[in-house]
Amino acid sequence: MRWGTERRLEFIESRLFWEGMVNRAHISDTFGISSQQASADFARYMELAPGNTAYDRSRKGYIAAEGFRPVLSQPDAGRYLAQLRLVGDGAVPVDDIDLPLPPFDVVPGPVRRIEAGVLRAMLTAIRRHLAVEVLYQSMSKPEPSWRWIAPHALAHDGFRWHARAFCEKDRAFKDFVLARTREMRATRATSAAPAADLAWSERVRVIMGPHPGLSEGQRKAIESDYAMTGGVSVVDVRRCFLWYFLKRFGLDVDARQRRPQDQHIVLLNDEDVLAALAGGRTDG
C-alpha cells in the first residue's frame, strides 16, 4: 500500500473512532483529492475492515458500526489530547489538526520566549559535537556572564526547555535554560563526552502511592488516575530531572504532612530518592 493511500485510510478510521462519522468531503478537503478517489478509499477501507462502517443516507456519510474495531492503528487518547494541548498553547494552528476539535481550553501560562537563533545554534552544537560561547544569566549571579558550554541534549522540565551541557567554567554538566541565553558568539571543538554525564544517563526509580489519609473511594480514584498497579506507580526518572519531577508533583517536601485533599500522592521509597537527590541540583 502506498504511503498516501495508507495515510488516508488511517484518517478514515480515526474519524470513525473519534467522531463516529466521516464523508468524502472530509477526505477531499484534507488531502486535496477528487471525490472519486475518496470513494475508492472508502471502498478499500471496507475491504480491509468489513463491518466497521456503513453509509448513512440521512447524514450523507459513513458512520461507525456498533461493533467498530480499529484495524490499521490503535487509537491513543494521549495523542488526541496532546493535539488539543498543542492547539491550546498556540503551538499548532487549529487547521493543522486532522480531527474536528470539541469545545476546550488550556490553563494559560506565561510565555517563555526562546530565540530561534539560540535554539538553532544549540542544535548545531549538539549535532556537530561543539562547544559554544554564550552570554548566560544564572540565577546564582546578579549579572549575565560569558561562558563556554558543550550541549549534548535538550531537556524539558515540564515548564521550561533546557540545554543539557558541560560547563567549562564550573567543570560540570548542568542545565541551561534556553530563554536565559542572551547571546552566542563563537564555537569550537570540545572534548566533553556526553557519556560522562552520569546524572543524565543514570535513572532513579521513584515509587509513589495514594496519600494514606485518603478514603477508600478516593484512593481507588487516584490509583486509576495515575494508572497504578497494586496501589503503586513506578516511574524511572533521569537523575538530573529528579528535583524537577519531585517539585512538579509536590513530592519535594514530606507529602504525608500535607492534607490529602491537597496532596494526592506520596513517595513510598523516600530514602532511595533522597539519596539520589543528595548530589544536588544541576541547573545553570
Side-chain angles (χ1 to χ4, degrees):
M1 189 184 302
R2 293 181 178 178
W3 181 86
T5 302
E6 184 177 4
R7 179 73 180 85
R8 295 195 300 272
L9 296 183
E10 289 177 349
F11 174 85
I12 290 173
E13 185 167 84
S14 180
R15 291 285 293 239
L16 287 171
F17 182 84
W18 293 113
E19 300 298 321
M21 197 274 284
V22 61
N23 59 34
R24 283 188 293 267
H26 292 148
I27 303 178
S28 299
D29 293 345
T30 301
F31 295 96
I33 62 175
S34 67
S35 59
Q36 290 82 1
Q37 180 60 63
S39 295
D41 289 337
F42 277 113
R44 181 69 180 275
Y45 179 75
M46 287 188 285
E47 288 178 1
L48 292 172
N52 256 7
T53 184
Y55 188 76
D56 186 320
R57 294 183 181 276
S58 64
R59 300 176 66 181
K60 297 182 180 179
Y62 292 83
I63 61 172
E66 186 174 344
F68 178 88
R69 293 290 184 275
V71 297
L72 298 178
S73 62
Q74 187 62 36
D76 188 334
R79 181 178 179 181
Y80 181 94
L81 295 175
Q83 293 184 84
L84 298 189
R85 177 69 182 272
L86 289 171
V87 172
D89 285 342
V92 172
V94 66
D95 293 340
D96 287 356
I97 304 299
D98 289 343
L99 295 170
L101 305 180
F104 79 100
D105 204 346
V106 173
V107 176
V111 176
R112 299 184 182 274
R113 190 177 305 280
I114 299 172
E115 295 295 334
V118 168
L119 177 58
R120 181 174 182 268
M122 290 293 185
L123 292 172
T124 300
I126 292 171
R127 184 172 62 253
R128 298 182 180 176
H129 193 55
L130 299 172
V132 59
E133 190 179 20
V134 300
L135 180 63
Y136 186 77
Q137 178 62 70
S138 171
M139 290 296 101
S140 62
K141 302 286 193 310
E143 299 295 333
S145 62
W146 287 98
R147 66 175 76 196
W148 284 92
I149 65 172
H152 68 82
L154 297 181
H156 194 267
D157 64 12
F159 300 100
R160 305 166 300 181
W161 279 101
H162 305 251
R164 184 68 183 173
F166 180 76
C167 177
E168 295 188 5
K169 179 180 179 181
D170 295 334
R171 307 303 300 173
F173 286 96
K174 306 177 75 172
D175 302 327
F176 293 89
V177 180
L178 293 182
R180 296 180 192 160
T181 303
R182 302 286 187 84
E183 299 179 43
M184 312 178 82
R185 66 184 182 188
T187 61
R188 68 186 184 195
T190 178
S191 60
D197 188 358
L198 300 182
W200 172 267
S201 59
E202 293 175 357
R203 292 181 177 270
V204 179
R205 177 154 294 189
V206 179
I207 305 176
M208 302 170 292
H211 193 293
L214 293 174
S215 69
E216 180 70 14
Q218 292 169 333
R219 183 184 61 77
K220 289 183 178 180
I222 294 303
E223 289 179 0
S224 175
D225 188 14
Y226 286 85
M228 294 182 179
T229 301
V232 169
S233 176
V234 180
V235 181
D236 288 332
V237 183
R238 291 188 189 273
R239 185 157 59 84
C240 61
F241 286 175
L242 188 56
W243 184 84
Y244 304 122
F245 179 89
L246 298 178
K247 188 172 181 62
R248 184 178 182 185
F249 290 99
L251 299 171
D252 54 327
V253 296
D254 187 354
R256 291 179 177 82
Q257 300 304 314
R258 301 178 64 190
R259 295 192 328 139
Q261 293 81 3
D262 300 326
Q263 179 63 45
H264 303 151
I265 57 174
V266 298
L267 277 176
L268 300 181
N269 62 332
D270 309 54
E271 292 185 3
D272 293 340
V273 171
L274 292 176
L277 194 61
R281 292 169 58 183
T282 58
D283 53 319

